[in-house]
Amino acid sequence: MDFGHQLAKFFLILGLLFLFLALLFFLIGKVPGLGRLPGDIFYHKGNFSFYFPLATCILLSLLLTLLLNLFFFFRR
């Protein structure tokens, strides 16, 4: 394969990955309660507001870890 073909393949895969991530973020916004869990940090004072979804990040990390481990376990 020449370099141009490999580069085109790389950009196609990268584009599909970005499309998947965009759809994932769009759908995550539709899940009720996600992003407002106990443990998420929200600070508001005057014109300033700070939001850090700590509990949501931990929950999503655990779920993705479980799903990926199951996927790779059954793939063997």
Side-chain angles (χ1 to χ4, degrees), residues 34-56:
L34 195 61
R36 292 188 170 93
L37 296 174
D40 290 347
I41 299 169
F42 181 72
Y43 176 75
H44 179 77
K45 184 172 184 178
N47 268 356
F48 178 75
S49 63
F50 175 76
Y51 176 69
F52 185 72
L54 182 64
T56 302

Side-chain angles (χ1 to χ4, degrees), residues 1-2 4 9 13-14 18-19 22-23 28-30 32 35 38 40 44 47 50 54 62-64 68 72 76:
M1 274 194 235
D2 63 334
K9 191 175 180 181
I13 291 171
L14 189 65
F18 280 133
L19 179 66
L23 289 172
I28 284 177
K30 303 285 183 181
D40 290 347
H44 179 77
N47 268 356
F50 175 76
L54 182 64
L62 289 171
L63 287 174
L64 286 173
L68 288 174
F72 287 116
R76 289 184 193 172

